[in-house]
Amino acid sequence: MKTVIITGSTRGIGKGLAVNFLKQGCRVVITGRNQTQVDEVVSGFALQFGADKVTGLACDVKDQAQLQAVWDHAVATFSSVDIWINNAGMSLPRKPLEQQSTDDINNIIATNLGGVVLATSVALKGMKAQNHGQIWNMEGFGSNDATQPGMAIYGATKRAVTYLNKSLQKEVKGTAVQVNTLSPGIVVTDLLVGDYDTSSAEWQKVKKIFNILGDKVETVTPWLVNGILSTNKSGTKVAWLTGGKAFMRFMTAGFNKRDLFSELELG
């Protein structure tokens, strides 16, 4: 029975991952910045899967002391940690760099890159001490060098995480700790939609692409969890949206009309 810590798991992909780890019999530690939201998610999961399978603690990933507290809480509750997933992240509205506020720039860098670095440091220290464990860092737009106007800061943070993973995979070589990459592809969440003005012509254009390549949380996360639980090698990448899958989606788009955003936009 594996114990899993997932940062940013009160909603979206993180919560979807938590649900599916619990369905697989794992024990899960929920985190988020708001303790009330964490408690609500933990209570719901406890009713569904058992109070002995889930716990949670509020955590801002920009604060290493809070990340350490999550690790300590998990060990105190479940004895050890087998998997740590750095899922917490944020995005910004798409606009040129010079139009972004200094606070927003600092916040996204501190969260998407700094938070991953700090959390990975905590997990590495703990996993080396217990002599086992996997760290999974989340890819996003920019990880593979893709670029778009208005995505300079977000993409730069994700490209940096790719470098971080490759470097750490060399650092953990010869140890019992693994560093791996999780690539969910385009997943329909409020974070994704929040980047756009949904009344704009740009949104109508990009929504067509998202409806071809995107998927819902409940579609992607079971597959990702299965991939994580079947991995036993550092340097592994579990990717949902592969090049081959994207090609087939475009080829069949004319026959497979999808609308992934209606529920979010109505809500």
Side-chain angles (χ1 to χ4, degrees), residues 94 141 148 151 185-189 191-196 202-216 241 249-250 258-261:
R94 296 194 180 202
F141 183 86
Q148 278 189 13
M151 294 287 287
I186 299 171
V187 183
V188 177
T189 64
L191 192 68
L192 179 68
V193 178
D195 290 347
Y196 295 89
E202 179 193 11
W203 168 247
Q204 294 306 317
K205 181 179 179 180
V206 77
K207 186 170 75 166
K208 293 178 181 178
I209 303 298
F210 287 166
N211 273 323
I212 295 171
L213 296 179
D215 288 286
K216 293 187 176 183
L241 185 61
R249 289 280 183 90
F250 278 115
R258 310 163 81 214
D259 185 0
L260 302 173
F261 297 90

Side-chain angles (χ1 to χ4, degrees), residues 4-256:
V4 186
I5 293 174
I6 309 170
T7 66
S9 45
T10 58
R11 61 178 185 168
I13 295 174
K15 187 176 181 181
L17 291 170
V19 169
N20 285 282
F21 276 117
L22 288 164
K23 286 181 177 178
Q24 295 273 19
C26 298
R27 300 173 297 199
V28 174
V29 181
I30 302 296
T31 79
R33 287 178 295 177
N34 183 291
Q35 186 66 52
T36 299
Q37 292 178 355
V38 170
D39 291 342
E40 288 175 355
V41 173
V42 169
S43 296
F45 285 159
L47 288 173
Q48 187 175 0
F49 299 103
D52 60 330
K53 295 291 181 64
V54 61
T55 186
L57 191 68
C59 172
D60 185 336
V61 297
K62 300 189 296 295
D63 187 324
Q64 188 166 9
Q66 293 185 35
L67 290 161
Q68 185 65 54
V70 170
W71 175 276
D72 294 342
H73 176 74
V75 171
T77 306
F78 296 131
S79 299
S80 67
V81 177
D82 301 288
I83 298 169
W84 181 301
I85 300 176
N86 284 315
N87 167 75
M90 62 171 290
S91 62
L92 296 176
R94 296 194 180 202
K95 56 186 179 181
L97 175 62
E98 73 275 11
Q99 295 178 20
Q100 304 283 2
S101 73
T102 301
D103 286 345
D104 283 346
I105 291 171
N106 288 334
N107 198 25
I108 192 171
I109 294 171
T111 301
N112 291 8
L113 179 57
V116 173
V117 172
L118 293 176
T120 300
S121 177
V122 168
L124 280 170
K125 180 180 178 181
M127 288 178 178
K128 285 183 177 180
Q130 68 183 16
N131 203 35
H132 78 274
Q134 292 181 342
I135 298 166
W136 291 83
N137 289 328
M138 191 80 73
E139 278 195 344
F141 183 86
S143 293
N144 63 350
D145 284 338
T147 57
Q148 278 189 13
M151 294 287 287
I153 312 170
Y154 179 89
T157 64
K158 287 300 182 180
R159 186 69 184 118
V161 170
T162 297
Y163 175 88
L164 177 70
N165 272 14
K166 289 180 178 180
S167 181
L168 290 175
Q169 284 155 9
K170 293 184 177 182
E171 289 190 15
V172 300
K173 189 174 182 179
T175 75
V177 181
Q178 301 172 15
V179 176
N180 299 314
T181 303
L182 201 59
S183 181
I186 299 171
V187 183
V188 177
T189 64
D190 55 355
L191 192 68
L192 179 68
V193 178
D195 290 347
Y196 295 89
D197 174 1
T198 56
S199 64
S200 68
E202 179 193 11
W203 168 247
Q204 294 306 317
K205 181 179 179 180
V206 77
K207 186 170 75 166
K208 293 178 181 178
I209 303 298
F210 287 166
N211 273 323
I212 295 171
L213 296 179
D215 288 286
K216 293 187 176 183
V217 169
E218 57 266 30
T219 302
V220 176
T221 51
W223 190 90
L224 294 177
V225 166
N226 286 335
I228 292 168
L229 292 176
S230 64
T231 293
N232 193 29
K233 181 181 178 181
S234 188
T236 298
K237 180 176 178 178
V238 173
W240 169 257
L241 185 61
T242 61
K245 185 180 289 184
F247 176 77
M248 289 303 299
R249 289 280 183 90
F250 278 115
M251 290 294 292
T252 59
F255 309 99
N256 185 20

